[in-house]
Amino acid sequence: MKINIDDAEKDAHIFAEKIGNWLGEIMFDLIGIWNQEWIKIETGIDGLRQAMYGYVYSSTHKVDILEIWVSVFRNSYRYAEGDNCSFDDIEHFLILAERYLLLSRMSFGYLSIKGTDRITELERLKEDINLNYGTAVLKVQSRLMFERGVGYAKSGGKSTIPPKILAILADTTVGYIFQLINSKKIKAEKVKGNWNIDVLSALEWLKGRKNCPEWIRRLSA
């Protein structure tokens, strides 16, 4: 699925609105018990700004955290679609996704999901925020993991990726990736019941596909 980069600002606002709602609930639990008239707990984006006030606002300098997030989203969306991007933006983008999921788990009364891998949990964002944002997070995470794996393998190390990562990179199904494994078109080994695909083998297969993205071709240089 192709990411709509133009929707980065809209998606950042939806994300901030939900984060603000949860932060508002947390702040109410912390200080709302006093029930003082001067305490007004905001929600949504106003709640986000209220929670961040002591950290990013001062009498002489104001920083709009939402404006920063919009920039981070837009740059990370471009990275998901093959452009280069500042690592700081990518890292911030993925940390925001992790913190969103943490707040989500806390709001439902549990702190971890046993037996759930990282990619499966990140897929929840497609429903929690929207399809465009959730897909962008998965593509950013997958590309970053793949690039690091290829770099490590080229330096002499052994690096593998799970079938889900290759499916995301190739914009295909996990079932099709398993077909490639079974037909030995890509090199993989099964460890404790899970398939691990050799990153360099995956790179060669990706390069041989029609319309191979330029960022993948650059990894071979």
Side-chain angles (χ1 to χ4, degrees):
M1 173 182 166
K2 186 174 178 60
I3 304 302
N4 188 340
I5 297 173
D6 291 337
D7 281 348
E9 182 172 358
K10 180 192 73 174
D11 294 349
H13 276 76
I14 295 172
F15 179 91
E17 185 80 26
K18 293 207 171 191
I19 290 287
N21 287 338
W22 281 324
L23 289 176
E25 292 177 6
I26 292 171
M27 290 178 68
F28 181 82
D29 289 340
L30 292 175
I31 64 177
I33 191 172
W34 292 332
N35 198 27
Q36 299 288 334
E37 292 183 1
W38 56 269
I39 297 177
K40 182 180 180 182
I41 306 299
E42 302 287 355
T43 58
I45 292 176
D46 288 338
L48 171 68
R49 290 192 170 112
Q50 183 184 45
M52 297 294 182
Y53 185 86
Y55 296 96
V56 298
Y57 281 66
S58 71
S59 59
T60 58
H61 182 64
K62 293 185 179 181
V63 176
D64 188 339
I65 194 68
L66 182 54
E67 183 178 339
I68 294 174
W69 286 4
V70 168
S71 176
V72 167
F73 271 52
R74 185 176 292 111
N75 290 336
S76 297
Y77 279 22
R78 290 186 177 125
Y79 176 78
E81 287 303 302
D83 290 346
N84 289 327
C85 174
S86 162
F87 176 72
D88 288 341
D89 282 343
I90 298 169
E91 183 180 40
H92 193 176
F93 184 70
L94 293 175
I95 287 175
L96 286 174
E98 292 285 357
R99 296 302 180 265
Y100 176 93
L101 290 170
L102 176 61
L103 286 171
S104 175
R105 293 195 296 267
M106 289 173 64
S107 70
F108 289 105
Y110 54 91
L111 295 178
S112 64
I113 303 176
K114 293 183 179 179
T116 300
D117 62 74
R118 177 180 173 84
I119 296 300
T120 297
E121 189 170 7
L122 289 176
E123 285 177 337
R124 287 179 44 211
L125 297 169
K126 292 180 181 179
E127 297 181 2
D128 282 18
I129 304 296
N130 60 39
L131 183 60
N132 193 57
Y133 168 74
T135 303
V137 173
L138 289 169
K139 292 180 77 170
V140 168
Q141 176 67 69
S142 298
R143 178 181 170 182
L144 183 62
M145 181 178 178
F146 187 64
E147 288 178 330
R148 286 175 170 174
V150 169
Y152 183 70
K154 283 187 172 183
S155 67
K158 180 179 180 180
S159 184
T160 62
I161 56 172
K164 283 184 180 180
I165 294 293
L166 185 54
I168 292 169
L169 293 172
D171 197 18
T172 187
T173 65
V174 176
Y176 180 67
I177 301 302
F178 280 128
Q179 289 179 28
L180 296 175
I181 293 174
N182 293 330
S183 62
K184 300 187 185 303
K185 292 184 178 179
I186 51 177
K187 183 180 177 181
E189 62 179 354
K190 205 169 190 178
V191 179
K192 295 182 179 180
N194 297 313
W195 281 105
N196 297 320
I197 301 171
D198 180 82
V199 293
L200 295 182
S201 176
L203 176 61
E204 289 303 310
W205 176 75
L206 287 168
K207 282 172 49 185
R209 304 184 81 213
K210 293 181 180 179
N211 301 319
C212 173
E214 185 60 32
W215 73 265
I216 290 177
R217 295 188 187 280
R218 289 197 299 267
L219 289 178
S220 299

